[in-house]
Amino acid sequence: MKVIYTKNHLKHNPTYEIYDGIKESYAEKPGRLLSIVNSLEQAGGYIFVAPRKFPNKCISALHKDVYIDFLKDRSASLKKDGVLYPSYFLRDTYAPVVKGTYDAAVTSVNVALTGAEIIVNKREKIVYALCRPPGHHAECNAMSGYCYFNNAAIAANYLSSRGKVVILDVDFHHGNGTQAMFYERDDVFYISIHADPEVKFPYISGFANEKGKGAGLGFNKNYPLPLGTTNQVYLRILKKAILHVHIFKPTFLVVSLGFDTYEKDPIGGFTLTIPFYKKMAEEIAQIGLPTLIVQEGGYNVDDLGKMAVSFLSGFTGFSNFQ
Ligand code: SP5
Ligand code: ZN
């Protein structure tokens, strides 16, 4: 299996986030991807591919130019250890801008697009885009929740010129950015399973009654779940979500993959176990579509590698995914 990866994400390394006025260690650490890469190398059978550069128009198709320019200019103007916290385009205290942020965020988009391109060219049926920073909270003009550009949404939009796309978001948090970007579209169906936004970030969206608007009505589906959700309950909901994927008859599947559903995640609140990620992937593999996996959250740095190996092993049993 091909894994799109580059070390360029190391440039984005804020030291703290702010919660209720208190500075805390930044959860979205570079070590997250290092843990995953390390475990994939040890497991063997993964081919690491560097991203190529895509034109800016791929990003500006979904993000406003003023927003892109703001992130670019502010990243560039910061001093070596400088950091920028909420202002007009920074919605919350979880997406600070440091000097390397713009560059790392653009590269993260290119990681997702490189994966999408390989799938379009039919060279592979499944590709793992090891993105960092993550993307699903980023909106057209707002950075939020460790996210700057919406990698999965940009890749899905790229794929959508070749066929209908489902984005299945299994991160612990609702992908408010991805939902907003496709809310009025009928060619990209956003389906998300996540913690109830009444009690967990992003609070502003992810409710079951958000079903899309205009042409997009019926093409947005949210499954908010209570804290403490188990493997068994999760699997039942995942199967329901997958039924909707089939009904839509898409050409491509994009999975926004978060490992913050893990029982020992420091900011999550579900109780999924490491072996369960294989089961989850087997269900997704059975859909049988060309699939781009885009890394989103997951913050237990020590165990992330194990989760990734478990998840990806769920695809290897299916001959059409070799
Ligand atoms: C991509 C992704 O998973 N983003 C998640 C953003 C979640 N931000 C909220 C985290 C708040 C954690 N701090 C609470 C600690 C209380 N002591
Ligand atoms: Zn998350």
Side-chain angles (χ1 to χ4, degrees):
M1 187 187 298
K2 289 209 164 96
V3 180
I4 318 302
Y5 178 69
T6 164
K7 284 188 175 141
N8 200 49
H9 70 92
L10 299 171
K11 288 181 184 165
H12 173 65
N13 190 11
T15 48
Y16 63 88
E17 56 193 73
I18 304 170
Y19 183 75
D20 218 8
I22 297 163
K23 287 184 185 177
E24 297 186 355
S25 164
Y26 198 64
E28 201 286 283
K29 300 176 197 308
R32 298 174 53 242
L33 291 207
L34 302 179
S35 168
I36 293 176
V37 168
N38 193 26
S39 295
L40 296 183
E41 278 173 351
Q42 277 182 14
Y46 295 96
I47 302 152
F48 290 88
V49 176
R52 81 162 179 92
K53 287 198 174 83
F54 282 76
N56 292 341
K57 66 171 195 282
C58 294
I59 297 180
S60 59
L62 291 184
H63 290 283
K64 294 212 163 102
D65 287 328
V66 281
Y67 171 74
I68 300 169
D69 292 344
F70 173 87
L71 183 53
K72 184 177 185 177
D73 297 345
R74 298 311 281 268
S75 286
S77 64
L78 283 166
K79 300 232 164 54
K80 186 171 161 288
D81 295 319
V83 55
L84 179 70
Y85 274 94
S87 58
Y88 185 69
F89 292 110
L90 282 79
R91 172 168 299 154
D92 57 44
T93 52
Y94 307 115
V97 177
V98 296
K99 199 164 182 53
T101 299
Y102 174 75
D103 193 41
V106 170
T107 305
S108 195
V109 169
N110 285 328
V111 167
L113 285 170
T114 300
E117 182 178 57
I118 290 173
I119 283 174
V120 163
N121 292 343
K122 297 200 171 63
R123 280 185 277 144
E124 304 285 334
K125 202 162 177 199
I126 172 128
V127 177
Y128 182 29
L130 206 31
C131 292
R132 181 180 176 272
H136 74 157
H137 299 303
E139 298 193 6
C140 67
N141 64 350
M143 48 198 103
S144 159
Y146 314 142
C147 303
Y148 303 84
F149 294 134
N150 198 322
N151 311 309
I154 294 165
N157 188 54
Y158 169 92
L159 291 170
S160 73
S161 63
R162 281 97 174 164
K164 293 197 294 181
V165 185
V166 167
I167 302 173
L168 178 62
D169 189 332
V170 294
D171 187 277
F172 175 76
H173 304 95
H174 178 247
N176 54 289
T178 317
Q179 170 170 301
M181 285 168 168
F182 299 111
Y183 208 62
E184 297 188 40
R185 284 174 58 168
D186 61 2
D187 58 335
V188 179
F189 185 4
Y190 179 70
I191 305 179
S192 180
I193 305 172
H194 51 264
D196 186 350
E198 285 279 359
V199 291
K200 282 285 177 182
F201 188 88
Y203 310 111
I204 53 170
S205 67
F207 299 94
N209 63 359
E210 296 159 8
K211 295 179 177 167
K213 192 177 157 193
L217 186 62
F219 302 111
N220 191 87
K221 197 137 187 71
N222 286 322
Y223 294 96
L225 300 178
L227 297 185
T229 289
T230 58
N231 292 341
Q232 204 187 5
V233 171
Y234 196 98
L235 184 62
R236 190 160 54 75
I237 302 300
L238 179 64
K239 285 181 173 174
K240 273 197 195 180
I242 287 173
L243 285 180
H244 288 277
V245 178
H246 287 298
I247 294 166
F248 187 64
K249 294 195 173 47
T251 306
F252 303 104
L253 178 65
V254 174
V255 178
S256 262
L257 176 63
F259 290 126
D260 35 11
T261 48
Y262 178 45
E263 57 179 344
K264 294 180 201 156
D265 189 274
I267 70 174
F270 290 170
T271 65
L272 307 195
T273 60
I274 291 171
F276 181 74
Y277 289 100
K278 178 175 185 189
K279 179 77 196 136
M280 196 195 273
E282 284 171 347
E283 294 294 328
I284 294 170
Q286 269 177 35
I287 302 170
L289 290 169
T291 301
L292 176 68
I293 302 168
V294 178
Q295 189 64 48
E296 301 283 359
Y299 306 99
N300 185 319
V301 173
D302 289 343
D303 292 349
L304 273 174
K306 292 177 208 146
M307 288 177 249
V309 168
S310 173
F311 185 84
L312 297 178
S313 73
F315 288 90
T316 54
F318 294 83
S319 55
N320 55 342
F321 280 115
Q322 295 286 331

